[in-house]
């Protein structure tokens, strides 16, 4: 059996395969969406397919909407051409439960898949048509934090971004330029209000999106491509809002064990592909079951009733507090600690790490002992319930094929939030002493040791991609594995850099402890394990 719309009529097959089918009129939804679209989403990858598209399906099945989502991709057009269109925009979602069960369902919340490709006149024309339609209420994004970036680490505009500034809205290549050009089409068609809602997993995501769009529009105004009135319209959040959000659901790359299970059921053409942009993606999405989406409720043209699908619709402060709870205390710091030590110790899944007594104790100490005293309580989700779910259910799930190598990506961009914010909270508290911290320094020392690209067996190790990797490794080039006595303060320029950690760890009084831990881990093969065991 192949995954497509005609196959949905084969209800007996899907029932025997224990796959839940969509419970709404799919052709009617596609027609209604084409006539009066309400939601466009940029970023057609797994978090969208396995979470966000399912939200709209939930509303369709409740009879609370008759429209689907128009999915577009600004980066990897093979996703649309090879994963969406051949399968009639359907996704097979496989939820991996901690007891080993696979809960399977077909997600059909997508009405249309489009390539935001400047060389594809038909799809770009369709996107412009949708943006001109006053029925459009919201545009959401999961394009990763890099998708909003206009400048390099030196603050210089990327050459392709500068080219978009020079050419104007008719010839765009960057995601933010294309989105701004589509908003200009909407402005020209009557300037109906709209919400631009980033759902990417980064702090203040709506602020990042707004800043990039306004920068592009401002440059175009300076060059005479757009009028000042357009920029004023974009700047008025009563007309164009940029809600903040917090999203949380792990949707790792397709797992072989899931593919084998689907093939055993008789499903055909489920194999993953590697796109021309090196995306590893399949017609199915395997994901954990827990999921959270908290959205600032500012939608000037109305919105779908997302709260009926389990979304927390609230104010900006609550969104910010929920994101801060997750990113600085209850999940992300634990992930980063597991990532660097998992790479050093040769683990290939997070779940396997959680069966290691020392590593499990490490994240428990970081979360419960050092993080929870300064945790931000968003009120809508209890921090202690959230972190218990993370430590007791989500991280140990043996059927989640998530890897420390994936999570170790871009660590230099993460540690300032994941560890630095807790350190700053200790520094600001009259009741707490930052020098009492042990396990966060141990995680930082582990990252420093990881940067040497030598595992705990003394063998060469490949570090995950990171924009600061070359710079950091150059600063540590004179550190010698197996010779801790030769250490001569090479960590100090890194530890004192507030651009990395959000604060100066030398001035905070933590450098000495981190250096001591780091040097213990330099002693030779097995020293990382010995250091962990000594502290835990």
């Amino acid at each position: 059996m192949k995954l497509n719309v005609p196959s949905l009529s084969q209800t007996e097959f899907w029932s025997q395969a224990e796959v839940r089918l969509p419970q709404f009129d799919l052709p009617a939804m596609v027609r209604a969406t084409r006539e009066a679209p309400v939601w466009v989403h940029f970023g057609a990858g797994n978090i969208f397919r396995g979470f966000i598209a399912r939200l709209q399906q939930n509303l369709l099945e409740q009879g609370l909407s008759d429209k689907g989502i128009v999915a577009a991709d600004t980066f990897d057009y093979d996703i649309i051409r090879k994963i969406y269109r051949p399968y009639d925009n359907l996704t097979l979602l496989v939820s991996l439960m901690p007891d080993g069960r696979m809960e399977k369902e077909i997600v059909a919340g997508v009405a249309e898949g489009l390539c935001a490709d400047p060389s594809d006149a038909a799809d770009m024309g369709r996107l412009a048509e949708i943006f001109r339609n006053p029925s459009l209420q919201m545009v959401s994004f999961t394009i990763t934090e890099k998708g909003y970036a206009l400048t390099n680490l030196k603050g210089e505009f990327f050459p392709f971004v500068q080219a978009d500034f020079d050419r104007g809205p008719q010839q765009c290549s960057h995601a933010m330029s294309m989105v701004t050009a589509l908003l200009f089409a909407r402005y020209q068609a009557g300037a109906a209000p709209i919400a631009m809602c980033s759902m990417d997993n980064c702090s203040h995501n709506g602020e990042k999106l707004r800043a990039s769009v306004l920068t592009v529009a401002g440059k175009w105004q300076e060059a005479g491509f757009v009028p000042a009135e357009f920029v004023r319209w974009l700047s008025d959040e009563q007309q164009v809002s940029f809600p903040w959000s917090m999203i949380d659901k792990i949707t790792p790359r397709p797992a072989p064990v899931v593919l084998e299970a689907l093939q055993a059921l008789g499903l055909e053409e489920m194999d993953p592909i590697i796109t021309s942009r090196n995306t590893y993606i399949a017609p199915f999405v395997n994901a954990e079951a827990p999921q959270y989406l908290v959205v600032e409720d500012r939608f000037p043209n109305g919105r779908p009733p997302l709260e009926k699908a389990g979304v927390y619709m609230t104010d900006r402060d609550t969104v910010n507090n929920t994101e801060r709870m997750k990113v600085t205390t209850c999940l992300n710091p634990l992930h980063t600690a597991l990532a660097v030590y998992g790479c050093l110790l040769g683990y290939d899944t997070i779940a396997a790490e959680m069966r290691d007594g020392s590593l499990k104790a490490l994240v428990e100490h970081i979360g419960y002992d050092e993080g929870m005293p300064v945790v931000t309580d968003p009120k809508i989700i209890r921090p202690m319930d959230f972190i218990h779910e993370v430590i007791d259910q989500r991280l140990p799930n043996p059927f989640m094929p998530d890897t420390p190598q994936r999570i170790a990506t871009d660590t230099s961009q993460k540690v300032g939030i994941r560890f630095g914010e807790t350190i700053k909270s200790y520094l600001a508290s009259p009741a707490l002493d930052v020098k009492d911290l042990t396990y966060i320094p141990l995680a930082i020392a582990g990252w420093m040791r990881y940067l040497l690209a030598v595992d705990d067996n003394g063998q060469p190790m490949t570090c995950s991609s990171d924009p600061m990797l070359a710079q950091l490794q150059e600063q540590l080039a004179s550190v010698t594995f197996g010779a801790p006595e030769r250490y001569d303060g090479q960590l100090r320029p890194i530890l004192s850099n507030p651009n990395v950690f959000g604060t100066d760890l030398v001035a905070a009084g933590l450098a000495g402890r981190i250096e001591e831990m780091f040097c213990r881990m330099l002693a030779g093969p097995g020293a990382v394990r010995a250091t962990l065991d000594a502290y835990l």
Side-chain angles (χ1 to χ4, degrees), residues 75-91:
F75 175 73
D76 197 336
Y77 313 126
D78 280 352
I79 293 176
I80 299 297
R81 294 170 180 151
K82 297 182 179 180
I83 293 295
Y84 277 68
R85 289 174 181 164
Y87 301 90
D88 296 335
N89 301 317
L90 303 176
T91 294

Side-chain angles (χ1 to χ4, degrees), residues 75 120 129 383 463:
F75 175 73
D120 190 328
E129 177 187 358
C463 292

Side-chain angles (χ1 to χ4, degrees), residues 95-103 397-399:
S95 297
L96 304 174
M97 312 306 287
D99 62 5
R101 288 179 299 112
M102 295 184 186
E103 294 189 353
N397 185 340
F399 304 98

